[in-house]
Amino acid sequence: AQDDGRLDDLFERLRITADAGEASNLEARIWRIWLRSSKAKVNALMAGGVRRMDGGELAKARDTFAKITRLAPKFAEGWSKLATVNYLLRDYNASALDIARTLSLEPRHFGALSGLGLVNMALDRPGRALKSFREALKIHPHMQGVRSNILRL
């Protein structure tokens, strides 16, 4: 989870690398760490929730991620996935609250910062969106989607 000791080094390397391939590898390693809880039940729920979300079963995915946040309220990725599914369901205010919880647990969560930018775009708050996207790039300078959104704004 977000308190894994390997993350500090991975984030530092991600911030300074000039190599897009290395950045992609580092990002994947960070996501693998973030997605693993210390609780087997939470890991099983996470896998099921991701499958549901990927399969378009958004309401069921939301229920699953909400259950994760109740079982493991200090597990940042549970909140992050709940934020994602709420965004997909166009419940932008709920998504923003879930992102706030994510960032309170893992301030370096570049995915949550990018998501907050998308939420702010959806709510027609371009200044806030730009701020979130720029914060995400400070952590992960190779996020091309974020760069595209900044140019669009």
Side-chain angles (χ1 to χ4, degrees), residues 31 34 80 98-99 102-103 106 109-117 132 136:
W31 279 111
W34 276 346
S80 178
D98 300 332
I99 290 168
T102 304
L103 293 171
E106 175 51 274
H109 201 299
F110 48 81
L113 286 164
S114 174
L116 186 57
S132 296

Side-chain angles (χ1 to χ4, degrees), residues 2-153:
Q2 70 276 359
D3 55 356
D4 188 295
R6 298 172 289 177
L7 287 171
D8 289 341
D9 178 58
L10 292 171
F11 275 111
E12 179 60 18
R13 290 172 52 202
L14 180 64
R15 187 182 64 77
I16 63 173
T17 187
D19 183 284
E22 181 183 14
S24 180
N25 182 352
L26 292 165
E27 176 184 341
R29 290 175 64 190
I30 290 168
W31 279 111
R32 278 194 299 276
I33 292 169
W34 276 346
L35 282 164
R36 298 290 302 169
S37 164
S38 61
K39 299 178 182 180
K41 181 173 178 121
V42 169
N43 292 331
L45 285 168
M46 179 63 75
V50 169
R51 272 193 311 276
R52 287 181 182 96
M53 187 168 57
D54 290 347
E57 298 177 75
L58 299 180
K60 288 181 180 179
R62 179 175 51 195
D63 292 344
T64 302
F65 297 133
K67 185 172 185 176
I68 290 171
T69 64
R70 288 190 301 275
L71 288 172
K74 294 185 178 183
F75 180 50
E77 198 54 31
W79 292 102
S80 178
K81 291 293 187 262
L82 184 57
T84 300
V85 78
N86 277 325
Y87 174 82
L88 294 171
L89 288 165
R90 295 190 170 125
D91 190 347
Y92 303 124
N93 291 319
S95 182
L97 290 172
D98 300 332
I99 290 168
R101 287 295 297 266
T102 304
L103 293 171
S104 73
L105 295 165
E106 175 51 274
R108 303 169 295 189
H109 201 299
F110 48 81
L113 286 164
S114 174
L116 186 57
L118 294 173
V119 165
N120 282 313
M121 283 178 69
L123 294 173
D124 197 27
R125 300 190 295 214
R128 290 183 185 181
L130 278 170
K131 182 178 186 240
S132 296
F133 290 140
R134 287 179 178 141
E135 288 299 314
L137 284 181
K138 287 179 187 175
I139 298 163
H140 185 345
H142 295 272
M143 296 177 79
Q144 294 309 314
V146 168
R147 290 187 182 285
S148 295
N149 283 326
I150 288 172
L151 290 173
R152 186 175 314 139
L153 288 168

